[in-house]
């Protein structure tokens, strides 16, 4: 039986060390690849059954323009009217707002009593058409049309959506 030469033995030793280093680093590499692929997947907004979001979960809002004031995303959010909370908190309230869908029959029953519609314009940048969301304040709830043109009943206090520091 022939014994391997010193050079062959060194080559096997080098290859064995490289394989050992690769095996030791493989779990770390696989974890980092898995974390990257999870980070690339969009996080979906999970809502309970029957609850529908006002805006898409992946919306990038540049500004929220209401009839009487504007919220602008300037990192942090800015407003042109004095609020009792931060502009960032108010913007997050509107962006993450959700409600219960109103079916067509219920909407048709409510329609004769709907007065004073207001429009929220959601500016998503120059390259994208803004969302125009119509809303009504009713005695028991807000009726708001979402980005998919579905009517939502949102039961929150008026001060939650419009927390002005000095109510005029």
């Amino acid at each position: 039986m022939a014994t391997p030469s010193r050079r062959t033995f060194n080559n096997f030793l080098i290859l064995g060390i490289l394989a050992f280093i690769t095996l030791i680093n493989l779990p770390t590499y696989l974890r980092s690849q898995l974390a990257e692929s999870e980070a690339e997947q969009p996080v979906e907004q999970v809502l309970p059954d029957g609850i529908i979001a006002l805006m898409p979960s992946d919306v990038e809002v540049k500004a929220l323009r209401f009839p009487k004031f504007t919220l602008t995303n300037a990192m942090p959010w800015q407003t042109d009217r004095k609020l009792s909370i931060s502009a960032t908190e108010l913007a997050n309230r509107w962006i993450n707002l959700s409600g219960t869908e109103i079916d067509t029959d219920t909407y048709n029953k409510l329609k004769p009593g709907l007065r004073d519609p207001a429009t929220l314009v959601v500016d998503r940048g120059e390259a994208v058409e803004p969302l125009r969301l119509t809303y009504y304040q009713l005695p028991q709830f807000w009726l708001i049309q979402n980005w998919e043109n579905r009517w939502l009943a949102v039961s929150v206090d008026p001060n939650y959506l419009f927390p002005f520091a000095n109510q005029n």
Side-chain angles (χ1 to χ4, degrees):
M1 183 157 118
T3 58
S5 69
R6 182 179 209 94
R7 184 175 187 178
T8 305
F9 178 76
N10 286 344
N11 287 340
F12 280 124
L13 187 62
I14 291 170
L15 288 175
I17 291 171
L18 288 174
F20 179 73
I21 291 171
T22 302
L23 284 173
I24 287 179
N25 289 315
L26 187 61
T28 306
Y29 173 77
L30 292 176
R31 267 188 251 123
S32 69
Q33 291 300 314
L34 184 61
E36 278 181 26
S37 68
E38 285 177 359
E40 290 173 3
Q41 295 175 351
V43 177
E44 285 195 29
Q45 189 175 8
V46 179
L47 297 171
D49 288 342
I51 304 297
I52 298 172
L54 181 64
M55 296 183 211
S57 59
D58 61 344
V59 69
E60 288 188 36
V61 179
K62 304 293 183 201
L64 297 170
R65 292 190 306 244
F66 297 89
K68 295 183 179 181
F69 72 104
T70 300
L71 293 169
T72 307
N73 190 354
M75 298 296 176
W77 286 82
Q78 304 293 318
T79 185
D80 56 356
R81 186 157 178 192
K82 188 150 177 70
L83 303 172
S84 61
I85 62 170
S86 73
T88 301
E89 184 177 341
L90 182 58
N92 286 332
R93 285 180 182 180
W94 276 95
I95 291 169
N96 297 312
L97 195 64
S98 59
T100 306
E101 185 172 14
I102 298 292
D103 61 24
T104 306
D105 291 338
T106 306
Y107 176 74
N108 289 334
K109 289 176 188 172
L110 292 170
K111 197 172 184 178
L114 297 178
R115 304 275 186 268
D116 302 323
T119 301
L120 163 61
V121 178
V122 180
D123 184 4
R124 301 182 293 167
E126 293 179 18
V128 185
E129 184 70 24
L131 299 175
R132 287 177 173 70
L133 310 176
T134 302
Y135 61 92
Y136 297 90
Q137 182 178 3
L138 301 175
Q140 298 86 9
F141 57 90
W142 293 85
L143 186 63
I144 306 174
Q145 191 176 32
N146 80 346
W147 64 286
E148 299 172 307
N149 294 325
R150 295 161 79 178
W151 287 99
L152 308 178
V154 179
S155 299
V156 294
D157 185 81
N159 194 45
Y160 181 81
L161 296 178
F162 298 101
F164 300 127
N166 53 354
Q167 298 287 339
N168 297 355

